[in-house]
Amino acid sequence: MEGTGEKQGHGAGDEQHYRASIEQYGSGLRRSDAGKDQQEQVPGVQLMEPVPPEKQLRVTFNAISIFAPTLGLGGKGGSRGLFAGLASRRSGDVPAKKPAFRQVLFDITGSCQPGEVLALLGPSGGGKTSLLSHIGGRTQRAMRKQGEVLFDGQQLTKAAKRHVGFVMQDDLLYASLTVWETLYYAALLRLPRTMTAQQKRERVAKVITALGLDKCKDTIIGDFFRRGISGGERKRVSVGHELLINPSVLLLDEPTSGLDSTTAMHLVHSLRQLASGGRVVITTIHQPSSRLYQLLDKLLLLSEGHAMYYGRADKAADWFYQLGYSMPFGINTADFILDLASADVSTKKLSGDECRRHLIACSEKFLAANPDGMQGGDDLHEAQFGSQLWTAAVSRKDLGSAREPLPEDQHQLSEASSSGVDPDDIEAALPKTAPATFGSNGDKGSYRWGATYNQQVHILFARAVKTRRFETLSKQDFCQYITIGVLAGLFWLQKGQTANIVNAKNTIGILFFELLFTSLRQMLGSIFTFPAEYKMMLKERASGMYRLSAFYLARTASDLPMTCAVPSIFVIIIYFMAGLRLSAAAFFRELGRVTLSMMLVGGFYVNDIPAWIGWLKYLSFIYFGYVATLKIEFGGRTFYDCGGLNLSNPESRPSQCHPVDLQAALKLPANPNTWHWDVLALIGWLILVRVLVYVALRRKTARL
């Protein structure tokens, strides 16, 4: 049999010796019987309680095809960019009405039994995450899908999805919470409301002990700026977040990425132990080590969306050997098959891509008749593949000399389908009758949410206050606000105490500076914190932890004490150092105004704006805050013009100073003696903006 070229080193070697080495390498890999798994535990890690037999599930996915929209504006290829689309409009071309789609998964079929660990392996872009997301019911709305995913023969519903653990590749955790706090708040929201608080605490303690997190349970998660737990511990906390509900199915997206080999080995060993308790564990793995590979029960190798191998993990090397690709001595099996899937293995007469397409064709032909994949036992033979594929596997001399692609009816790569697909054609291919849905009826007396609505608001409010303690109550914030407040107070020292027009102008300056600084400071903080909180909300909503309205209400309620705590010190310093109106009512009105104002654009720097565009000021938050500030400080007071002189006690010098209309003299945007309608406008804007944000979040999370 022909060797596999220079890249494969030793060649095929003696067949008997090679088969013996494969058996030795794969010894102990088969552990599908959960009840008989007697493997050694990781130090410090204990087994969780098993899943009851009546709650164990078999996960199957049949003929899964996924189509992703392309970025082009027109044409089947979808390769035209934005400017190409604009150019076509100028030239009179009519762009396509329907978006083009690119197929990313091609008829993938497989299953995973309770007690098994199924690994999705393949190079980047092979479709691992797309398949895992589809199995977990988290495919993006823009995707088009074919095929079905069944849990014991039933489709997954929203209610049932809350009992399926899904660990994302990115560890989305609140950096300022400790390990215990992270899991405890999750337990309060996710565990059944019939459990007492003490039982939930015991559940958290059990998960922490099971994952070996006792030593770091009181350590914050941490991030780039604050040191916390290690990367391996972060990943185990993410797993523990899902283990709280004791899921029957646990899905993980590249849980070993970024971890060293030993830490990754311990994590997968923990997953192996969790599977032995009657759970289905399906995980994507980027590049497993040889020891880690031995812990896998089943393997699905993906290459550009196609299944290159599916079956027992310990039989993969034998599969490729019988198809003409012998693994070099001393090479990790995972590395070798990843090279095959990446088209990095070639022969003297076949390119790497031709080898890859030949193996895909063999796999698809075999799986069409053997949906359970490669199980071992009997040798492969010609009847399973057809004469062409089998001849190519045995010798490949005929194909190698011609250097031509395999026939279309053999490899079925569907190149045309990857360039553009009509969404109507995809939807027409979907099954017309939906099978029964897993979790559609639910247990009698069960609840959709683990906590009641009021409990959700209370728990989320308490968590929001704790998660923002480092951002809003940090030493840096205290120092910044106090330093700037003292400096501003010195610049405008007691300018507000004299009722002449010169100091009135100075007072307007400090009022606007106070408004500008606090609004801008809070706005920038929101810009940096919103993306992270939005991702966290999407993750938790997908797990069914709480209602969106409860989250938004708790987050809004936590804004007031957390946002106003430190800025209030800034306002107090400026207010008394600048000598603003010494009245309790005026002080508290000014403090309340600061909490309502936000920064957009205002009418402070430009006077006499034309009427045809002047109405735009009513769309500005800061305009109403500015007007409210002027009324608080100047309302009901008399100011004097002393001919440009900054005289103290101007009211006692009638010969030099005379009363003036402050609005006319300083061209203020409003009369400071009128009713405080601007405060109502601020409240209205506050409510309107938050309602609009809630509606936008509701639309974005409609499918969660």
Side-chain angles (χ1 to χ4, degrees), residues 341-652:
S342 303
D344 287 338
V345 174
S346 60
T347 69
K348 296 179 180 179
K349 296 183 179 180
L350 287 179
S351 67
D353 188 62
E354 288 171 329
C355 292
R356 182 185 66 83
R357 291 190 287 130
H358 169 239
L359 290 173
I360 290 175
C362 292
S363 175
E364 292 180 345
K365 182 73 173 181
F366 180 82
L367 294 177
N370 302 273
D372 291 333
M374 177 68 170
Q375 298 298 318
D378 299 332
D379 290 339
L380 303 179
H381 50 82
E382 181 177 349
Q384 296 171 319
F385 301 96
S387 58
Q388 271 191 303
L389 290 177
W390 185 249
T391 301
V394 174
S395 65
R396 297 191 303 276
K397 293 183 179 179
D398 294 336
L399 292 177
S401 60
R403 292 298 294 259
E404 294 179 354
L406 296 172
E408 287 294 329
D409 58 345
Q410 294 292 337
H411 59 69
Q412 298 176 353
L413 291 184
S414 306
E415 297 293 342
S417 65
S418 64
S419 60
V421 180
D422 191 333
D424 293 338
D425 295 339
I426 300 173
E427 294 175 359
L430 297 177
K432 302 302 180 182
T433 58
T437 54
F438 164 55
S440 58
N441 296 325
D443 299 330
K444 292 184 178 180
S446 63
Y447 299 94
R448 179 179 179 185
W449 309 98
T452 64
Y453 187 84
N454 291 337
Q455 289 173 340
Q456 289 178 15
V457 174
H458 174 75
I459 295 167
L460 292 170
F461 174 82
R463 189 183 71 173
V465 172
K466 282 197 173 184
T467 56
R468 300 175 64 192
R469 56 191 169 189
F470 293 118
E471 287 78 11
T472 58
L473 300 178
S474 64
K475 294 180 180 179
Q476 292 86 344
D477 275 355
F478 273 105
C479 293
Q480 184 184 73
Y481 276 108
I482 291 175
T483 302
I484 296 178
V486 170
L487 288 176
L490 291 175
F491 295 153
W492 279 276
L493 187 63
Q494 298 301 308
K495 296 296 184 182
Q497 285 298 297
T498 305
N500 62 58
I501 196 169
V502 175
N503 276 345
K505 292 180 180 179
N506 293 329
T507 302
I508 290 175
I510 186 61
L511 292 175
F512 190 78
F513 171 76
E514 177 194 46
L515 173 65
L516 184 70
F517 177 76
T518 54
S519 299
L520 183 61
R521 181 68 172 73
Q522 296 302 319
M523 183 189 70
L524 291 177
S526 299
I527 290 175
F528 287 108
T529 59
F530 177 76
E533 292 205 17
Y534 176 68
K535 291 181 180 179
M536 182 68 71
M537 184 270 294
L538 291 180
K539 168 196 169 184
E540 294 178 338
R541 282 278 295 152
S543 299
M545 290 181 63
Y546 46 71
R547 297 177 184 269
L548 177 62
S549 57
F551 169 82
Y552 198 65
L553 181 59
R555 185 62 174 80
T556 301
S558 68
D559 282 343
L560 191 59
M562 300 303 293
T563 302
C564 301
V566 180
S568 296
I569 300 176
F570 173 79
V571 174
I572 293 172
I573 293 174
I574 285 185
Y575 197 91
F576 291 103
M577 288 190 68
L580 300 181
R581 197 170 189 173
L582 296 179
S583 164
F587 170 76
F588 287 109
R589 285 202 301 266
E590 175 68 7
L591 194 60
R593 190 273 312 155
V594 170
T595 64
L596 291 173
S597 301
M598 297 292 290
M599 172 62 186
L600 282 180
V601 292
F604 175 72
Y605 295 106
V606 182
N607 294 320
D608 300 326
I609 299 178
W612 63 272
I613 199 175
W615 60 271
L616 289 175
K617 65 185 178 182
Y618 297 110
L619 302 180
S620 168
F621 295 86
I622 206 168
Y623 168 78
F624 298 107
Y626 178 50
V627 171
T629 299
L630 295 177
K631 291 181 178 181
I632 293 171
E633 182 61 27
F634 298 135
R637 297 177 62 184
T638 302
F639 284 82
Y640 299 84
D641 186 355
C642 300
L645 299 177
N646 188 7
L647 300 178
S648 59
N649 300 322
E651 63 275 5
S652 63

Side-chain angles (χ1 to χ4, degrees), residues 167-189:
V167 180
M168 303 174 65
Q169 181 177 354
D170 298 328
D171 298 319
L172 294 177
L173 303 169
Y174 286 108
S176 56
L177 293 181
T178 65
V179 171
W180 173 269
E181 290 171 342
T182 298
L183 297 178
Y184 180 61
Y185 283 123
L188 292 178
L189 292 167

Side-chain angles (χ1 to χ4, degrees), residues 176-252:
S176 56
L177 293 181
T178 65
V179 171
W180 173 269
E181 290 171 342
T182 298
L183 297 178
Y184 180 61
Y185 283 123
L188 292 178
L189 292 167
R190 300 189 71 178
L191 294 180
R193 64 184 66 176
T194 54
M195 295 178 63
T196 64
Q198 179 61 29
Q199 289 175 326
K200 293 180 179 181
R201 283 192 291 269
E202 292 173 355
R203 179 69 184 175
V204 172
K206 182 179 293 186
V207 170
I208 287 178
T209 302
L211 294 177
L213 295 171
D214 291 279
K215 294 182 179 180
C216 62
K217 66 178 181 178
D218 295 321
T219 306
I220 64 170
I221 300 298
D223 56 12
F224 181 79
F225 299 101
R226 289 181 296 274
R227 184 173 179 83
I229 60 178
S230 67
E233 290 168 337
R234 285 175 61 92
K235 186 61 68 176
R236 277 186 276 169
V237 171
S238 297
V239 175
H241 201 282
E242 304 302 322
L243 287 183
L244 288 170
I245 60 174
N246 194 20
S248 302
V249 179
L250 185 60
L251 309 176
L252 306 99

Side-chain angles (χ1 to χ4, degrees), residues 669-683:
N671 187 345
N673 295 311
T674 57
W675 183 64
H676 285 266
W677 58 269
D678 40 85
V679 176
L680 295 179
L682 275 177
I683 296 174

